[in-house]
């Protein structure tokens, strides 16, 4: 696949859509929490987060809480998304696999910061909505798939970065084998109601692991995750 710069939010409509004040407020709160770099704050400052939630929750979208997105799932809090992104450390030439598209907001963050994003969502309705929205917003560097993302995307591997946005009972083995040499994987691992953010780095056949903050994600379901509720 050719290297391809993202298109992203065309013409930075954020400045004129009436929500910039709220976006700036969210960025100030993220900044106060020391949650992310200037580079990432600049992306938060232009993404129309209210478009990723139901219209009734538009105002709440710019607070730092997680919110329901339907089908029993959530858009993670902006602070959590910032933390995950910083741990992942995406680079502009990276190909990234995201497991758990959800609303598509984290997908958009990654698409702004990398060359390609391959994103997989197990719930058809969420996958379809995120694909429509990111298409409307002008992203041309995101590929979507519906299904069990814990087994990865073999035809597109290896990936420089892999981000799992749902809580796994253990590290999905299939994903480790799809990580490029020098690559990095971030995944919440632990119990159904409490996990730790694990960062794996690959160097040749060696995988080093570091455990970070505790967190609480909806469960990763499927063969390498939890049984479907
Ligand atoms: N990052 C997303 C966002 O910005 O909206 C939030 C993701 S939400 C916390 C986790 C998502 O993972 C849910 O949409 C859920 O359906 C999805 N999911 C759970 N198990 C999955 C699996 N095995 N493969 C793909 N997606 C999965």
């Amino acid at each position: 696949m050719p290297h391809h710069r993202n298109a992203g939010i065309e013409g930075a409509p954020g400045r004129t859509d009436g929500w910039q004040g709220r976006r700036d407020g969210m960025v100030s709160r993220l900044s106060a929490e020391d949650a992310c770099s200037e580079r990432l704050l600049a992306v938060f400052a232009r993404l129309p987060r209210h478009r990723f939630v139901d219209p009734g929750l538009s105002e709440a979208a710019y607070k730092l809480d997680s919110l329901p997105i339907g089908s029993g799932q959530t858009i993670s809090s902006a602070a959590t998304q910032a933390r995950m992104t910083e741990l992942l450390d995406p680079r502009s030439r990276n190909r990234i696999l995201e497991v758990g598209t959800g609303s598509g907001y984290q997908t958009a963050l990654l698409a702004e910061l990398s060359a390609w994003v391959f994103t997989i969502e197990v719930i058809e309705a969420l996958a379809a909505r995120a694909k429509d929205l990111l298409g409307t917003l002008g992203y041309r560097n995101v590929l979507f798939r519906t299904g069990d993302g814990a087994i990865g995307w073999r035809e597109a591997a290896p990936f420089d970065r892999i981000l799992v946005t749902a809580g796994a009972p253990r590290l999905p083995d299939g994903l480790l084998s799809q990580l490029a040499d020098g690559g990095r994987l971030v995944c919440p691992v632990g119990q159904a109601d409490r996990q730790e953010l694990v960062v794996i780095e690959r160097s040749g056949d060696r995988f080093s692991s570091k455990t970070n903050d505790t967190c609480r994600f909806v469960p990763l379901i499927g063969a390498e995750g939890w049984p479907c509720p």
Side-chain angles (χ1 to χ4, degrees):
M1 196 169 287
H3 181 261
H4 172 98
R5 274 305 300 150
N6 64 54
I9 305 279
E10 285 163 0
R15 297 283 157 200
T16 55
D17 70 359
W19 292 87
Q20 194 56 48
R22 289 179 188 80
R23 267 194 293 279
D24 290 343
M26 178 181 75
V27 165
S28 300
R29 288 189 291 280
L30 282 173
S31 189
E33 288 196 3
D34 222 7
C36 53
S37 62
E38 291 298 322
R39 179 178 79 129
L40 184 52
L41 288 175
V43 181
F44 274 108
R46 62 176 185 269
L47 283 186
R49 191 173 174 86
H50 60 283
R51 305 266 306 263
F52 292 80
V53 298
D54 287 342
L57 294 172
S58 297
E59 291 278 346
Y62 292 102
K63 299 186 174 153
L64 293 191
D65 311 315
S66 61
L67 291 173
I69 53 171
S71 308
Q73 304 303 320
T74 55
I75 174 171
S76 303
S77 77
T80 298
Q81 290 170 329
R83 178 72 175 139
M84 300 277 276
T85 309
E86 291 298 354
L87 287 173
L88 193 69
D89 190 23
R91 304 294 171 93
S92 59
R93 298 187 71 84
N94 282 170
R95 289 156 46 86
I96 302 183
L97 174 67
E98 180 191 39
V99 177
T101 315
S103 70
Y105 186 86
Q106 177 82 61
T107 318
L109 282 177
L110 299 177
E112 290 280 339
L113 297 165
S114 66
W116 286 99
V117 182
F118 297 77
T119 186
I120 311 176
E121 169 58 51
V122 74
I123 298 177
E124 176 96 49
L126 295 179
R129 197 166 68 193
K131 185 175 182 184
D132 272 5
L133 178 56
L134 291 189
T136 303
L137 292 175
Y139 289 94
R140 300 286 175 262
N141 61 334
V142 181
L143 295 168
F144 295 84
R145 180 175 268 191
T146 304
D148 182 359
I151 60 172
W153 192 320
R154 279 189 206 98
E155 312 87 279
F159 301 99
D160 305 297
R161 301 285 186 268
I162 299 179
L163 179 65
V164 181
T165 71
R170 61 190 171 278
L171 275 173
D173 284 345
L175 294 183
L176 288 178
S177 64
Q178 294 181 25
L179 192 59
D181 191 8
R184 181 182 286 211
L185 175 151
V186 177
C187 180
V189 180
Q191 304 304 310
D193 60 350
R194 185 172 175 276
Q195 306 92 31
E196 287 171 326
L197 280 177
V198 175
V199 178
I200 303 288
E201 285 183 317
R202 178 172 193 170
S203 174
D205 289 334
R206 284 193 51 243
F207 293 86
S208 63
S209 164
K210 197 167 164 223
T211 300
N212 294 271
D213 347 1
T214 55
C215 50
R216 186 177 180 168
F217 280 82
V218 295
L220 182 80
I221 59 163
E224 302 237 29
W226 301 93
C228 208

